[in-house]
Amino acid sequence: MHGAGIVQPQHRVIDAGAQAEIIDAKAECAVSAVMLSRTMSLRFRSVTQRANQGRIAWFLLVGCGAAAIHWTVVVGLVSHGAWQPLTANVVGWLTAFLFSFAGHHRLTFRDRRVLLRTAAPRFFAISAGGFALNESAYALLLGFGLASSYQWVLLAVLIGVAGVTYLLSRHWAFLGNPAP
């Protein structure tokens, strides 16, 4: 007797071969999912590596441009304007800062999708800190009697500060939401 509204379970006999095929299909599906996951992970890493390589290339290009502007302004002011190297260095940095920020915001870190009002003060802080290091090292080296080679001393200092600037820019100034 069946009661009203009560569902009785139906018992079915499952063929052992069919059950084995279902189990095999599930196992193949799991293996395929793992393989797909690994493939996607490798592709993501490859895309990430290419993005980082591109970012480093843009950083070098923009950074070299900014360093060239900085160096040219300083050498021009010292040789043609009779400025003192340390004073000219301030003007060189401010001029190069504008080029550097624009280039890094639009090229080097464009995939970070960070707002200008967020990145600008961060980058300025990093750049000002880098400039403080630059000016200190420059003053120290010029004080060791290298004033006659001020342009080569400045070049060495600019190269030395560039690595710190890249790391801080990447991990703080332009930290945002990477493109999917």
Side-chain angles (χ1 to χ4, degrees):
M1 273 188 58
H2 296 298
I6 297 177
V7 178
Q8 295 292 325
Q10 295 181 359
H11 298 282
R12 295 187 182 162
V13 176
I14 297 177
D15 180 81
Q19 187 175 9
E21 285 183 36
I22 291 170
I23 291 171
D24 285 345
K26 284 183 180 179
E28 286 177 21
C29 184
V31 168
S32 296
V34 168
M35 290 174 59
L36 179 61
S37 173
R38 287 183 183 162
T39 302
M40 294 303 289
S41 177
L42 289 174
R43 285 187 182 172
F44 178 75
R45 273 190 250 147
S46 176
V47 168
T48 302
Q49 286 171 343
R50 281 196 308 264
N52 282 336
Q53 289 170 348
R55 184 175 295 120
I56 291 170
W58 277 119
F59 178 81
L60 289 172
L61 187 63
V62 170
C64 286
I69 290 168
H70 187 147
W71 189 83
T72 302
V73 167
V74 172
V75 171
L77 290 173
V78 171
S79 62
H80 299 297
W83 287 47
Q84 291 298 311
L86 291 174
T87 306
N89 195 30
V90 175
V91 177
W93 166 69
L94 287 170
T95 306
F97 169 79
L98 298 172
F99 176 87
S100 183
F101 177 74
H104 290 315
H105 189 260
R106 296 230 178 236
L107 301 170
T108 309
F109 300 105
R110 67 181 172 267
D111 64 327
R112 295 297 179 102
R113 297 180 181 179
V114 62
L115 297 174
L116 184 70
R117 69 175 182 246
T118 301
R122 289 178 180 177
F123 188 74
F124 184 81
I126 290 168
S127 185
F131 178 69
L133 179 63
N134 166 311
E135 187 80 345
S136 299
Y138 195 37
L140 182 69
L141 292 171
L142 289 175
F144 282 125
L146 299 173
S148 62
S149 302
Y150 74 92
Q151 63 271 57
W152 303 116
V153 172
L154 177 60
L155 183 63
V157 169
L158 289 172
I159 291 168
V161 172
V164 173
T165 302
Y166 173 76
L167 292 172
L168 290 172
S169 296
R170 179 176 179 206
H171 295 291
W172 184 57
F174 295 99
L175 185 62
N177 299 320

